[in-house]
Amino acid sequence: MGQISEDPSSPKRIAVLGATGSVGLSALDVIAASRGRLKAIALSAHRRLDELLRRAIAVKPKWVIATDQQAADRFNWRRLPGDCQLLTGPEALEEIAGHEDVDTVLAAIVGSAGLRSTWAAVDAGKTVALANKETLVIGGALVGKLATERGATLLPVDSEHSAIYQALKCGHLCEVARLVLTASGGPFRTWDMDALRQVTVDEALAHPTWDMGPKITVDSATLMNKALEIVEARWLFGLPAERIAVMIHPQSIVHSMVEYVDGAVIAQLSPPDMRLPIQYALEYPHRRPAVAPTLDWSERLTLEFEPPDFERFPALELGFRAAREGGSAGVVINAANEAAVGQFLEGELHFTEIVPACASVLESHHFSPSPTLDELHQLDGWARREVENWVCA
Ligand code: NAD
Ligand code: MG
């Protein structure tokens, strides 16, 4: 499973889950540029079914999955290629993620909606190219255990974790002093508290260096994205929160670093473009000619780093706390954040209320040190309802 093929007549078969999103569409670019080494065997989307159909006509996958049943029933599928099988409803994701004809699952669905299919892929022992960081934030301990039991491989797509994964090849895990996650700082890096209170949805959706889906763009503005990435790193690399640091790096060129015990720091650099970490994960263990722009060494390059301001960006402390406590803390901050971001995008919550809402829900929840998968699903629903109550209060 997940074997590398050099033979274009037997390409690596990729299930692109979340194919109409920012990561999914970048992945389709990477696959198209792979000279037949990679083949999109399945494409999924939730509601942008016109985009899904357009991609299916171009790529001709074996399966097309439309997860929102009502939207799928209303949609006109007449132009779907004849040899493309249409599957509808969320359960189809799990069926395809574990299917024997799939080599690698690209988990690029946004939010906790990506958990079940990622779980199914890990359960089937697949290679999982993981963009959906929420899966590890919610259930990192359980997913890691399952991956070991089933022989599944998790390859990070998140640019910071991809950088760390690459930098970890320079030493042994026991020789690592700390992982240094870089953060662009988002659009409000230099704003004071008064200005932050007035942030509009449009301002929060305009990221200075990365072009991403709306939820992660808002998360990058609150630095909740970095908080989630601290938890993601904790489970992906098995290092405690005390050995994870965050540095603000506005240029988004250094994607993260590993500091070894001898003081050597190994970093991965490239222009901010998700096609490189996606390509690295899909083509792993090979490196292939660039599909994304590369650094221009004829130009002046300035790299700045500064420690984050925990007062203006309190999300970071929540991330460290969830990474330290483990258990049910991750699912609660993740679900509370998804609900709070939804409320912000609908104009029901101020920008500066997103993180306090999450902190309040985390504070009031009944901590469980080792929740089961069922308990994680229940806590996810509970935390979302708590945010609604918080907004109404
Ligand atoms: P996006 O909003 O652009 O796309 C999300 C995709 O998920 C779409 O294809 C959509 O149809 C699908 N989807 C949405 N709700 C769904 C549901 N309920 N059930 C099934 N499918 C559903 O998101 P994105 O920016 O591409 O991010 C995807 C994931 O990758 C997130 O977990 C994000 O944190 C992570 N990530 C994204 C980037 C980036 O540059 N965009 C970088 C690193 C990590
Ligand atoms: Mg990232």
Side-chain angles (χ1 to χ4, degrees):
M1 227 164 279
Q3 276 171 3
I4 299 300
S5 169
E6 291 298 315
D7 175 6
S9 65
S10 64
K12 198 194 279 189
R13 298 158 300 179
I14 320 281
V16 184
L17 307 186
T20 55
S22 162
V23 171
L25 291 173
S26 294
L28 294 181
D29 277 357
V30 169
I31 293 169
S34 73
R35 296 169 167 263
R37 286 186 306 271
L38 308 173
K39 159 86 185 144
I41 191 171
L43 304 182
S44 94
H46 199 52
R47 295 211 176 111
R48 289 180 61 199
L49 302 182
D50 45 351
E51 180 71 43
L52 179 65
L53 178 62
R54 205 167 22 250
R55 299 291 166 163
I57 290 168
V59 167
K60 297 193 180 56
K62 184 169 177 181
W63 298 290
V64 166
I65 307 165
T67 43
D68 184 317
Q69 190 65 53
Q70 286 184 349
D73 291 344
R74 277 196 308 267
F75 192 72
N76 181 353
W77 294 102
R78 193 177 38 83
R79 290 172 56 230
L80 190 67
D83 43 4
C84 225
Q85 191 186 347
L86 174 67
L87 303 171
T88 59
E91 301 78 21
L93 290 172
E94 291 162 70
E95 181 192 336
I96 297 307
H99 197 285
E100 61 176 8
D101 288 352
V102 170
D103 298 312
T104 294
V105 173
L106 174 68
I109 289 173
V110 63
S112 63
L115 174 63
R116 285 181 195 272
S117 49
T118 309
W119 182 271
V122 173
D123 197 25
K126 300 290 181 196
T127 295
V128 181
L130 186 69
N132 180 260
K133 64 192 84 183
E134 293 90 346
T135 288
L136 289 181
V137 176
I138 296 168
L142 288 181
V143 173
K145 185 165 167 281
L146 187 70
T148 308
E149 281 168 15
R150 304 291 194 216
T153 304
L154 291 177
L155 295 170
V157 166
D158 215 349
S159 56
E160 295 78 359
H161 304 72
S162 175
I164 290 170
Y165 193 87
Q166 296 172 60
L168 282 175
K169 295 195 178 293
C170 291
H172 298 288
L173 205 55
C174 61
E175 298 162 347
V176 171
R178 64 184 57 75
L179 309 177
V180 184
L181 292 168
T182 54
S184 71
F188 313 127
R189 181 172 57 89
T190 57
W191 292 31
D192 64 22
M193 277 311 286
D194 285 339
L196 285 175
R197 274 188 275 274
Q198 311 299 324
V199 163
T200 65
V201 169
D202 284 348
E203 286 168 337
L205 287 177
H207 195 277
T209 50
W210 291 99
D211 182 11
M212 309 177 285
K215 188 255 179 189
I216 183 174
T217 304
V218 175
D219 288 351
S220 298
T222 56
L223 291 205
M224 184 58 93
N225 183 49
K226 213 47 54 182
L228 301 180
E229 290 182 354
I230 294 166
V231 188
E232 179 184 14
R234 189 258 168 273
W235 296 114
L236 200 52
F237 304 115
L239 287 170
E242 299 70 44
R243 286 210 269 157
I244 301 172
V246 172
M247 281 300 274
I248 302 295
H249 167 50
Q251 291 81 16
S252 300
I253 298 282
V254 174
H255 295 298
S256 278
M257 305 176 261
V258 174
E259 183 184 339
Y260 286 94
V261 287
D262 58 1
V265 177
I266 310 291
Q268 184 258 322
L269 287 73
S270 53
D273 190 312
M274 284 304 292
R275 284 173 295 183
L276 173 53
I278 292 168
Q279 182 190 35
Y280 184 78
L282 295 185
E283 297 270 19
Y284 188 83
H286 299 284
R287 288 195 184 268
R288 302 294 186 186
V291 286
T294 55
L295 286 173
D296 180 352
W297 298 108
S298 67
E299 282 189 1
R300 185 186 175 85
L301 178 62
T302 305
L303 302 174
E304 297 164 291
F305 299 92
E306 65 191 33
D309 180 342
F310 283 75
E311 275 179 30
R312 281 184 305 127
F313 296 102
L316 287 175
E317 187 43 49
L318 286 188
F320 279 114
R321 183 172 160 192
R324 252 190 328 267
E325 293 179 1
S328 52
V331 63
V332 169
I333 69 161
N334 181 69
N337 179 57
E338 281 186 35
V341 170
Q343 298 276 1
F344 167 68
L345 291 174
E346 281 168 24
E348 299 292 331
L349 207 62
H350 286 294
F351 180 76
T352 45
E353 290 176 315
I354 296 173
V355 177
C358 298
S360 159
V361 176
L362 183 64
E363 207 53 60
S364 66
H365 102 282
H366 184 70
F367 181 76
S368 163
S370 45
T372 62
L373 198 56
D374 276 349
E375 284 166 345
L376 292 177
H377 287 305
Q378 281 165 19
L379 278 162
D380 181 282
W382 172 84
R384 285 166 199 271
R385 288 191 296 278
E386 285 296 296
V387 169
E388 278 168 32
N389 295 339
W390 199 86
V391 172
C392 295

